[in-house]
C-alpha cells in the first residue's frame, strides 16, 4: 500500500495510549466474581474490550451476576482508585506523538471511557495535557462502534475523513473508524489480531510499526 501522510491521527485511550486494560479488568473480574459470576481478568478482556461499563453491567446480568443497583458507580470508583495507583504509558507512544508533532500532524482521542477515568490515567504522564481540548468520550456521544465521536474529531480538526487515521485495540473502535470513512489500524498487543482483521482493518502488534505504516 502506498501511504499518504495523514493530517490527523485519532487514538483510543485504554490499551493504546496507557496500559489500563489489565488493572481495570482485574477490578471488574473481582467485582463480578463477588456478585456471583466467576470470571478472570483475561476473560473480562475477551468479553468486554472496547465496550462501556454499562455494557459490562448488562452482559454480566445476562450471564447471571446478581449486581446491585449502584454497581456501575461502585465499580467506577474502584476503577478510578486503581488507576490513580499508577498505570504505564504504552511503549512507543511518546516517540510516536513526538514524530507526529514534528510533522505538524494533528492528534485526538476517541474513547468509550468516561472523562474522569481518562484524566486519571493520562494525567500523571502529561498525556491529558498534551491532548487537552481534543479528547472525545462516550459522555456526549454514542459509544463506539457508532462513528459519532470519530466524525466529530475529524470535523473539529478541519480535515477530510480520507486524511485521518484511527488507532484502536478493539473491533468496536475500528468499526467506528470504518463507519466514519477513516482509515483504521488495529493495535493487537493482546493477541486480538484475528478479531481486528475480521473487522477488515490493518493490524500491528507494536506501536513502533505505526510510523512506517502511515508514512512517517
Amino acid at each position: 500500500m502506498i501511504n499518504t501522510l495523514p493530517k490527523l491521527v485519532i487514538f483510543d485511550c485504554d490499551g493504546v495510549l496507557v496500559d489500563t486494560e489489565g488493572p481495570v479488568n482485574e477490578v471488574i473480574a473481582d467485582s463480578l466474581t463477588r456478585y456471583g459470576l466467576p470470571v478472570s481478568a483475561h476473560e473480562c478482556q475477551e468479553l468486554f474490550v472496547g465496550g462501556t461499563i454499562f455494557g459490562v453491567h448488562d452482559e454480566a446480568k445476562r450471564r447471571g451476576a446478581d449486581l446491585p443497583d449502584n454497581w456501575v458507580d461502585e465499580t467506577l470508583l474502584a476503577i478510578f482508585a486503581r488507576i490513580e495507583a499508577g498505570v504505564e504509558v504504552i511503549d512507543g507512544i511518546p516517540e510516536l506523538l513526538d514524530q507526529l508533532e514534528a510533522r505538524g500532524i494533528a492528534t485526538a482521542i476517541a474513547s468509550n471511557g468516561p472523562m474522569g477515568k481518562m484524566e486519571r490515567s493520562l494525567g500523571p504522564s502529561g498525556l491529558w495535557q498534551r491532548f487537552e481540548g481534543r479528547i472525545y468520550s462516550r459522555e456526549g456521544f454514542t459509544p463506539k462502534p457508532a462513528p459519532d465521536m470519530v466524525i466529530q474529531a475529524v470535523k473539529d480538526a478541519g480535515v477530510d475523513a480520507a486524511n485521518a487515521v484511527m488507532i484502536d485495540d478493539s473491533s468496536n473502535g475500528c468499526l467506528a473508524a470504518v463507519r466514519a470513512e477513516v482509515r483504521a489500524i488495529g493495535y493487537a498487543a493482546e493477541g486480538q489480531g484475528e478479531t481486528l482483521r475480521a473487522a477488515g482493518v490493518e493490524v500491528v502488534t507494536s506501536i513502533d510499526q505505526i510510523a512506517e505504516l502511515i508514512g512517517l
Side-chain angles (χ1 to χ4, degrees), residues 18 29 32 37-39 45 53 60 91-92 100 114 121 123 144 148 152 155 159 161 176-177 181 207-208 216:
V18 284
L32 295 182
L37 181 65
V39 289
Q45 169 73 16
I53 194 67
D91 287 344
L100 294 171
S121 65
K144 299 176 285 186
D148 302 31
Q152 191 65 49
K155 179 180 178 182
V159 304
E181 300 183 347
I207 295 298
D208 292 341
L216 288 175

Side-chain angles (χ1 to χ4, degrees), residues 110-134:
S111 171
N112 277 353
M115 284 290 194
K117 177 184 171 186
M118 285 191 279
E119 185 172 7
R120 287 168 172 82
S121 65
L122 299 172
S125 65
L127 289 177
W128 174 262
Q129 296 82 359
R130 193 165 189 172
F131 282 93
E132 193 168 6
R134 307 183 312 282

Side-chain angles (χ1 to χ4, degrees), residues 25-94:
N25 284 319
E26 288 172 6
V27 171
I28 292 172
D30 288 346
S31 177
L32 295 182
T33 298
R34 280 201 317 274
Y35 289 118
L37 181 65
V39 289
S40 67
H42 179 70
E43 288 169 326
C44 284
Q45 169 73 16
E46 292 187 334
L47 286 170
F48 306 127
V49 64
T52 69
I53 194 67
F54 301 101
V56 174
H57 171 276
D58 294 347
E59 179 63 15
K61 289 200 74 169
R62 189 186 73 79
R63 290 171 177 262
D66 184 20
L67 304 182
D69 292 341
N70 68 337
W71 184 84
V72 167
D73 290 338
E74 173 188 283
T75 305
L76 281 176
L77 285 173
I79 287 171
F80 289 170
R82 174 60 187 85
I83 287 173
E84 286 175 345
V87 294
E88 297 294 326
V89 176
I90 297 294
D91 287 344
I93 282 295

Side-chain angles (χ1 to χ4, degrees), residues 161-179:
N163 293 322
V165 173
M166 174 82 184
I167 302 166
D168 207 298
D169 66 335
S170 73
S171 56
N172 277 346
C174 289
L175 285 171
V178 170
R179 291 170 181 174

